[in-house]
Amino acid sequence: MRLLFLGDIVGRAGRRAAIEAIPRLRKRYKLDFLVINGENAAGGFGITESIHEELIDAGADAVTLGNHAFDQKETLVYIARQERLIRPLNFPPGTPGRGAALIRAQNGADVLVINAMGRVFMTEIDCPF
């Protein structure tokens, strides 16, 4: 299985670059699965639903979040219905969304995407271990 993780898409320029590159990367490297960290995709502060959908439409299989997951308050509302948008699993109990998702890859295999956030230089959060 060929996997690619693109880290931290930031702002409009990062989104544009990723959206243009994803189809070429998938083809060139014959990728089965592609994950993007999109927690800074909305001008460096979170992600909106339309940005998330643009990344998925471009060919991302999953989009992960991090400490800026809910900088865009609308994320609190739509994250539950976006099965490929994955927040850190060690956020406090009751946080909307999911910390893991089982997603079908292009080759038909199931891929478990788990997102855990570290604690070094971050605000206090549950231990990812």
Side-chain angles (χ1 to χ4, degrees):
M1 176 168 303
R2 292 178 170 268
L3 307 168
L4 178 64
F5 184 91
L6 297 175
D8 220 348
I9 303 303
V10 179
R12 182 173 295 145
R15 291 193 319 266
R16 190 173 315 126
I19 289 167
E20 289 175 11
I22 288 169
R24 290 192 316 268
L25 290 168
R26 288 200 86 115
K27 184 176 180 180
R28 179 177 182 185
Y29 296 106
K30 299 177 181 138
L31 298 175
D32 298 306
F33 203 81
L34 189 144
V35 180
I36 292 180
N37 179 272
E39 71 164 311
N40 289 306
F45 300 98
I47 190 169
T48 65
E49 188 168 25
S50 62
I51 291 170
H52 171 260
E53 289 173 353
E54 285 178 353
L55 295 171
I56 296 297
D57 290 345
D61 294 295
V63 178
T64 60
L65 301 173
N67 62 313
H68 294 289
F70 297 104
D71 284 1
Q72 300 293 320
K73 298 304 175 204
E74 71 179 75
T75 307
L76 290 164
V77 176
Y78 76 80
I79 193 169
R81 67 176 173 261
Q82 293 292 352
E83 295 178 3
R84 295 171 181 260
L85 185 60
I86 307 162
R87 62 149 172 86
L89 63 86
N90 53 329
F91 273 7
T95 302
R98 62 197 53 75
L102 189 63
I103 302 169
R104 180 78 29 106
Q106 285 193 354
N107 67 356
D110 288 330
V111 177
L112 179 61
V113 180
I114 299 172
N115 182 5
M117 193 167 85
R119 302 188 321 173
V120 176
F121 304 117
M122 296 289 178
T123 56
E124 186 132 346
I125 191 167
D126 289 346
C127 179
F129 303 105

